[in-house]
Amino acid sequence: FVILNWRAVCGQCRACLRGRPWYCFNTHNAKQKMTLTDGTELSPALGIGAFAEKTLVAAGQCTKVDPAVSPAVAGLLGCGVMAGIGAAINTGNVGRGDSVAVIGCGGVGDAAIAGAYLAGAARIIAVDIDDRKLSTARTMGATHTVNSKETDPVEAIRELTGGFGADVVIDAVGRPETYKQAF
């Protein structure tokens, strides 16, 4: 079976040729438009038609996966792991000794925590409103947790970083409130 990737990079632009495909802005989607049987044109979510039973995609949006792999595990590769680890390692450029705060500890946030851990971050602060998610974040590499329902996360992060704030902040929630907190 295959996993659908929401971006099929071009491989030809400046970013791709420099080995940084996560910055590619010439990504490909299927050339043929998806339509209903009556001809009504559809707009596939993320270019792949998420949650659809059938979809049209560009070949580069497909990654072949061994059928023996559990679908629950393989499904994470399509978005959560790629987005989270990519945010930490590629976009955030987390390095050894950095302090990192991750706001939101779902699939993407936990992958960002794992990415920061793999990159050698010294302090990884997980922020969420759910203590169960914060507990899981510790198993992914978080060194500190902040329940933002009970504590101001900005103040807590400043306190945990000697008043400086984190070197890298990853917002894995995407709400205006968390975006502002990240900055």
Side-chain angles (χ1 to χ4, degrees), residues 1-5 59-65 77 82:
F1 68 96
V2 297
I3 298 228
L4 299 181
N5 305 297
Q61 289 177 271
C62 301
T63 302
K64 188 175 180 179
V65 177
L77 297 175
M82 303 298 268

Side-chain angles (χ1 to χ4, degrees), residues 127 146-159 181:
V127 179
V146 175
N147 184 320
S148 57
K149 197 186 314 184
E150 302 166 358
T151 306
D152 179 335
V154 175
E155 290 306 315
I157 291 166
R158 283 191 180 130
E159 187 176 313
Q181 290 170 342

Side-chain angles (χ1 to χ4, degrees), residues 11-162:
Q12 303 297 319
C13 71
R14 182 172 185 261
C16 287
L17 293 174
R18 292 178 63 216
R20 296 178 180 152
W22 53 92
Y23 290 126
C24 177
F25 288 98
N26 190 27
T27 57
H28 303 290
N29 289 330
K31 301 273 188 251
Q32 181 180 339
K33 296 292 183 183
M34 290 193 323
T35 61
L36 297 175
T37 54
D38 69 2
T40 303
E41 193 172 296
L42 301 174
S43 262
L46 298 174
I48 61 173
F51 304 114
E53 290 181 24
K54 296 179 183 179
T55 190
L56 288 170
V57 296
Q61 289 177 271
C62 301
T63 302
K64 188 175 180 179
V65 177
D66 185 329
V69 173
S70 161
V73 173
L76 293 172
L77 297 175
C79 179
V81 171
M82 303 298 268
I85 288 181
I89 294 175
N90 297 330
T91 308
N93 200 27
V94 174
R96 297 193 71 66
D98 283 347
S99 61
V100 179
V102 177
I103 302 172
C105 298
V108 174
D110 280 348
I113 290 166
Y117 177 81
L118 290 170
R123 187 169 301 240
I124 304 169
I125 306 162
V127 179
D128 204 288
I129 61 172
D130 185 333
D131 286 328
R132 292 172 301 165
K133 288 183 178 183
L134 292 171
S135 178
T136 300
R138 281 204 181 267
T139 70
M140 302 303 289
T143 59
H144 299 79
T145 60
V146 175
N147 184 320
S148 57
K149 197 186 314 184
E150 302 166 358
T151 306
D152 179 335
V154 175
E155 290 306 315
I157 291 166
R158 283 191 180 130
E159 187 176 313
L160 290 166
T161 58

